[in-house]
Amino acid sequence: MDAPRPLSVAEAQACLLARFRRADAEAVILSAALGRTLAADITAPRDLPPFTNSAMDGYAVRAIDTVGASVVHPATLAVIGVHAAGDAAPLTIRAGEAAVITTGAPLPAGADAVVRLEETDGGAATVAIRVAVASGTNIRQQGGVIRAGAPLLHAGTRISPGEIGLFAATGSATLPVVRRPRTAILSTGNELVPAGAPMGPGQIPDTNGPMLAALVAQFGGDPLFLGIARDTPEDVRRALDAAPDVDCIITTGGVSVGAYDAVRAVIAARGTLDFWRVQMRPGHPVAFGMIGATPVLALPGNPVAAFVTFHVLVRSALARMLGWSPELPPTIPAGLTRAVAHRGEQQTYVRVRLRAMPTGWEADPAADQAVGNIFSLSETDGLAVIPAHIPGIGAGEIVQAIRLDG
Ligand code: AMP
Ligand code: MG
């Protein structure tokens, strides 16, 4: 099999993105919408508030009837009834009249202001108004927040509790979201047993399966674990052929140059291999191709390398399928707390802890950057990017860092 040349990280990201499309839309109820992505621009279906109402408990009045009113010279108005929140709007206020009103109740016809209860004597038959109010005082106008038909939210918005509140306020029960990209995950390796299963000599727990399922879910996908395949083309092929209809497949392990590295050959035999090897570290042997219409991301087996290649490559694929912007993982500038050595020919991702300082972000590299050190991942919330072809980075220098929380 011809080995394609290694790509730069930017080339690999572009090559990969070209193979992904946004997933289709589905309607979800508000209680299931948290974290989902809006699939369409939304306009307000009705005015908000839907009717003009009182912002205070007090008396609905005609502002003109309060001209000159004060504590010393209150204006006395006849109380003609009560508008409470939830009432329809039966009353009409005429000259010299007022109505008791509660917060959220519709404003009676003829009234154009509300006087707060605290600025009256609280009377039942007549009321002494101790303040002059301007027209519009303590009133929430129909459509004052947003008018029917005005833009409400844009496609691509990730739904937070605030947006769920907004949708509920407009009277909507469901909203259109992008379907979660179904992402199959296959671990490969003769040495692997499912996490928690008894381990024989030479065996280790499958770390990547659970970790990648969590990463896929964190970045908006719907993970589906296919299990563990052995290091033979037959077993890898069987596992991939058995995969149900999914939007993409992630494999780990078996993409390096060893005698047991079967995954690349299976992708090439079953479909096309778009790239193999990217100028990045960790993660150099990562491969990508298509089997039929299904993109297959073949990540290295080393868990730290799988983790880094997920953030650098797979995240952007999920972002494209979800319609997120930007698609590439956003970076922040951060000052390195200590120098990192660098061989220079590959873009290096240094596991760091990010700290917000008064002067900006600080990136503190994990003490042990060995690729075998999975412990470092639990202390990491950023990946500092050390570009290829530079000799190294000194303490205090600014680097770009990918935030792992998106
Ligand atoms: P490979 O990419 O298959 O050459 O694997 C590189 C290293 O990662 C080897 O030490 C493997 O044992 C280890 N490894 C591969 N897959 C996994 C996995 N799913 N969980 C934990 N370690 C793995
Ligand atoms: Mg292996």
Side-chain angles (χ1 to χ4, degrees):
M1 183 178 59
D2 280 348
R5 77 175 167 86
L7 301 187
S8 70
V9 170
E11 288 172 326
Q13 285 167 331
C15 176
L16 183 118
L17 275 179
R19 292 290 202 178
F20 287 87
R21 297 282 165 274
R22 210 199 75 180
D24 42 2
E26 63 186 9
V28 293
I29 56 172
L30 293 184
S31 58
L34 184 64
R36 303 295 298 271
T37 305
L38 258 191
D41 292 337
I42 306 285
T43 55
R46 53 174 61 81
D47 286 343
L48 253 184
F51 52 87
T52 299
N53 67 91
S54 177
M56 291 287 171
D57 292 331
Y59 291 83
V61 299
R62 299 169 356 122
I64 197 165
D65 290 344
T66 70
V67 171
S70 67
V71 176
V72 188
H73 297 290
T76 301
L77 302 176
V79 177
I80 63 160
V82 179
H83 264 196
D87 289 350
L91 297 176
T92 299
I93 304 284
R94 297 197 173 73
E97 294 178 347
V100 173
I101 195 161
T102 70
T103 306
L107 195 70
D112 64 349
V114 169
V115 177
R116 293 191 307 139
L117 191 58
E118 297 88 325
E119 283 159 338
T120 72
D121 66 352
T126 63
V127 60
I129 305 290
R130 296 171 178 151
V131 68
V133 290
S135 179
T137 300
N138 296 328
I139 282 173
R140 304 188 281 220
Q141 293 292 344
Q142 175 172 344
V145 173
I146 195 155
R147 286 258 173 229
L152 198 63
L153 289 169
H154 293 291
T157 302
R158 287 193 77 180
I159 306 293
S160 70
E163 272 103 32
I164 291 176
L166 177 57
F167 267 96
T170 66
S172 306
T174 64
L175 49 112
V177 297
V178 182
R179 188 174 51 74
R180 279 201 185 94
R182 291 235 297 161
T183 305
I185 297 162
L186 177 70
S187 299
T188 75
N190 289 348
E191 71 278 36
L192 303 178
V193 298
M199 279 174 280
Q203 294 187 317
I204 58 169
D206 169 28
T207 307
N208 294 335
M211 182 181 72
L212 283 169
L215 283 165
V216 166
Q218 183 185 4
F219 289 92
D222 180 14
L224 174 76
F225 187 52
L226 298 180
I228 299 169
R230 295 184 61 76
D231 285 317
T232 63
E234 297 71 38
D235 209 39
V236 172
R237 194 179 305 129
R238 197 176 310 125
L240 293 180
D241 287 350
D245 193 23
V246 291
D247 294 291
C248 69
I249 298 173
I250 304 174
T251 68
T252 65
V255 281
S256 198
V257 292
Y260 289 88
D261 291 329
V263 172
R264 226 168 357 108
V266 171
I267 298 173
R270 272 286 189 270
T272 57
L273 190 68
D274 285 6
F275 65 75
W276 171 50
R277 293 176 301 175
V278 174
Q279 295 289 22
M280 63 183 287
R281 192 174 55 198
H284 182 73
V286 60
F288 174 70
M290 302 289 291
I291 295 182
T294 308
V296 184
L297 298 131
L299 311 186
N302 179 289
V304 170
F307 183 88
V308 170
T309 47
F310 179 91
H311 280 282
V312 174
L313 298 172
V314 186
R315 251 173 83 172
S316 59
L318 287 168
R320 159 99 18 131
M321 289 189 281
L322 285 159
W324 290 357
S325 173
E327 292 175 327
L328 298 182
T331 60
I332 53 169
L336 269 190
T337 58
R338 62 176 177 83
V340 293
H342 181 42
R343 265 194 267 123
E345 75 280 13
Q346 299 190 353
Q347 184 148 301
T348 298
Y349 295 87
V350 175
R351 282 152 270 159
V352 296
R353 171 139 283 181
L354 294 168
R355 268 196 305 262
M357 304 298 281
T359 48
W361 288 97
E362 220 173 65
D364 193 20
D368 179 6
Q369 295 286 328
V371 74
N373 181 6
I374 181 109
F375 180 69
S376 61
L377 291 186
S378 78
E379 304 181 298
T380 293
D381 53 17
L383 293 173
V385 186
I386 316 297
H389 310 302
I390 63 163
I393 296 233
E397 284 192 55
I398 301 292
V399 292
Q400 294 297 317
I402 298 172
R403 289 178 62 147
L404 302 186
D405 59 6

